[in-house]
Amino acid sequence: MSFSPLFERLVEAFRTLPGVGPKSAQRMALHLLERDRAGGERIVGALGEALARIGYCQRCRNLTEHDLCALCEDPRRDERMLCVVESPADLLAIEEAGGYRGRYFVLHGHLSPLDGIGPEELGLERLEAEVAGHDYEEVVLATNPTVEGEASAHYISEQLRPYEVRCTRLAYGVPLGGELEYVDVGTLSRAFSGRLPFTS
Amino acid sequence: MSFSPLFERLVEAFRTLPGVGPKSAQRMALHLLERDRAGGERIVGALGEALARIGYCQRCRNLTEHDLCALCEDPRRDERMLCVVESPADLLAIEEAGGYRGRYFVLHGHLSPLDGIGPEELGLERLEAEVAGHDYEEVVLATNPTVEGEASAHYISEQLRPYEVRCTRLAYGVPLGGELEYVDVGTLSRAFSGRLPFTS
């Protein structure tokens, strides 16, 4: 049943959000229209601007609306360490865990030849240039503990071999087959401190 | 920690949605920016247009982008019955339960003098004109089974007394103290068929 095509379109649009089913989408649409139109306008403004302006940091490929992200602009970060992650969500999880103060590099995915995702899509040329152009002592390959994540870490460690930088991997405190983004803070922190040399 | 002010603003904006905490809001923002920018544009478009154009139906106060909502425009609805609900969500729940084919009137709330919500805010003048101007045989007062909902139903039944229309109330199959919007379809359908004359 539909009392308004525009309302139906709004409910459909909300269903593209992760974890939002038809009932939640309807509740969100009614909440904004009935009780919080100012909140709705804030979403329109913030989302519209974010989509138009947020792209990749030219150095680390993190999300940012500037040429360089706030982390790359921060002079207090440790220039001797680089942490390679699959997604900005993983970066946020590691930052929340605390303890790591180095740089990041965001792949935005993992190697997946069947989906057409190769070294170019992950910006591995940029990563190699980053390692070649700076004095990193260690590169932490913090990809997800999945088959694809391991394969990506392996590939990168091979690619960085000429630069004589120490490649490490998070300790296997993180649960196998899971998603880094959802690991609890304590486990993630322990995995960081217990990281091991990368061996293929 | 914040790597982008725009990203933070987007996460904050998503938190105004009902049932969305900081972690869900972050997940939504990252999902749209990383994996579904087209979906994000659809939300911006649909929400922007809905906020700009969706208002109240001039006849029944349901949400609509036109003068009259699709239900009021529908000639197949039973003109002899009117169902008064507190919110469009309640209307949608009753439509989903099926069985009712009459008209609706949406209060957008219930009487609540302490919050400054009186007969005027609920459009009760419009409701009286609606009943006065049509040949309704029955008005179902389907307000929520709460103290405020009961009080509103009582007030409306007094207001409509001069028009000699039969005022009914949903059967008490609906759980007391609950919200109509979340009642399961079977219970709601039974409550509709078992409705009783309104006695104050």
Side-chain angles (χ1 to χ4, degrees):
Chain A
M1 116 92 219
S2 150
F3 53 70
S4 150
L6 261 185
F7 179 79
E8 291 303 310
R9 203 179 116 205
L10 179 56
V11 172
E12 269 312 301
F14 277 139
R15 289 198 58 188
T16 64
L17 291 170
V20 175
K23 198 78 185 168
S24 298
Q26 183 186 299
R27 199 163 138 241
M28 288 173 173
L30 287 171
H31 174 83
L32 294 179
L33 287 168
E34 288 277 285
R35 284 188 282 268
D36 192 6
R37 291 199 171 221
E41 296 290 359
R42 277 201 301 280
I43 292 176
V44 169
L47 182 54
E49 208 177 337
L51 289 169
R53 291 182 49 203
I54 291 184
Y56 290 174
C57 171
Q58 290 179 6
R59 180 170 174 186
C60 76
R61 297 190 10 127
N62 189 6
L63 293 173
T64 179
E65 62 268 37
H66 303 294
D67 291 343
L68 293 179
C69 75
L71 285 168
C72 283
E73 295 275 25
D74 187 347
R76 290 164 305 178
R77 303 294 300 202
D78 188 344
E79 290 278 0
R80 294 164 301 175
M81 288 189 72
L82 184 66
C83 178
V84 179
V85 291
E86 288 189 28
S87 74
D90 298 338
L91 182 158
L92 285 170
I94 291 170
E95 282 297 290
E96 210 184 312
Y100 178 70
R101 294 291 303 157
R103 301 279 171 189
Y104 286 99
F105 189 86
V106 183
L107 301 174
H108 296 280
H110 45 240
L111 290 177
S112 181
L114 288 177
D115 301 316
I117 299 171
E120 197 174 326
E121 284 71 26
L122 302 183
L124 295 191
E125 212 169 298
R126 172 83 273 283
L127 174 59
E128 192 172 336
E130 174 71 15
V131 172
H134 293 83
D135 216 17
Y136 290 115
E137 293 174 2
E138 182 178 343
V139 175
V140 186
L141 300 168
T143 50
N144 281 324
T146 57
V147 174
E148 297 88 350
E150 297 288 349
S152 305
H154 177 72
Y155 186 97
I156 294 167
S157 77
E158 290 294 319
Q159 185 188 21
L160 299 183
R161 195 190 288 258
Y163 303 98
E164 284 176 11
V165 66
R166 188 156 58 105
C167 282
T168 55
R169 192 88 182 88
L170 292 185
Y172 276 112
V174 292
L176 278 167
E179 299 278 326
L180 211 73
E181 180 178 349
Y182 303 106
V183 172
D184 70 273
V185 160
T187 309
L188 196 56
S189 187
R190 194 123 44 103
F192 235 97
S193 62
R195 64 188 181 276
L196 302 163
F198 189 83
T199 53
S200 49
Chain B
M1 114 92 220
S2 151
F3 54 69
S4 150
L6 260 186
F7 180 79
E8 291 304 310
R9 204 180 115 204
L10 179 57
V11 172
E12 269 313 302
F14 277 139
R15 289 199 56 187
T16 63
L17 291 170
V20 175
K23 197 77 186 170
S24 298
Q26 183 186 297
R27 200 164 136 239
M28 287 173 173
L30 287 172
H31 174 82
L32 293 179
L33 287 168
E34 289 276 286
R35 282 187 283 266
D36 192 7
R37 290 198 171 221
E41 296 291 358
R42 276 200 302 279
I43 292 176
V44 170
L47 181 54
E49 207 177 340
L51 290 168
R53 292 183 48 204
I54 290 183
Y56 290 175
C57 171
Q58 290 179 7
R59 180 169 174 188
C60 76
R61 294 186 16 123
N62 188 6
L63 295 174
T64 179
E65 62 268 36
H66 303 294
D67 290 343
L68 292 179
C69 75
L71 286 168
C72 284
E73 294 275 27
D74 187 349
R76 291 164 304 177
R77 305 294 298 201
D78 188 345
E79 290 279 358
R80 294 163 303 175
M81 289 189 72
L82 183 67
C83 178
V84 179
V85 292
E86 289 189 27
S87 74
D90 299 338
L91 183 155
L92 284 171
I94 292 170
E95 282 296 292
E96 209 185 314
Y100 178 70
R101 295 291 303 158
R103 301 279 170 189
Y104 286 98
F105 189 87
V106 183
L107 301 173
H108 296 280
H110 44 240
L111 290 176
S112 181
L114 288 177
D115 302 315
I117 298 173
E120 198 174 324
E121 284 70 26
L122 302 184
L124 295 192
E125 213 168 297
R126 172 81 274 281
L127 173 59
E128 192 172 336
E130 173 72 14
V131 172
H134 293 82
D135 215 19
Y136 289 115
E137 293 175 2
E138 179 178 345
V139 174
V140 186
L141 300 169
T143 49
N144 282 322
T146 58
V147 175
E148 297 90 349
E150 297 288 348
S152 304
H154 177 72
Y155 186 97
I156 293 167
S157 77
E158 289 295 320
Q159 186 189 19
L160 299 183
R161 194 190 289 259
Y163 302 99
E164 286 177 7
V165 66
R166 187 155 59 103
C167 282
T168 55
R169 191 88 182 90
L170 291 185
Y172 276 112
V174 292
L176 278 168
E179 297 279 325
L180 211 71
E181 180 178 349
Y182 303 107
V183 173
D184 71 273
V185 160
T187 310
L188 197 56
S189 187
R190 193 122 47 104
F192 234 98
S193 63
R195 65 189 182 273
L196 302 162
F198 189 81
T199 52
S200 47

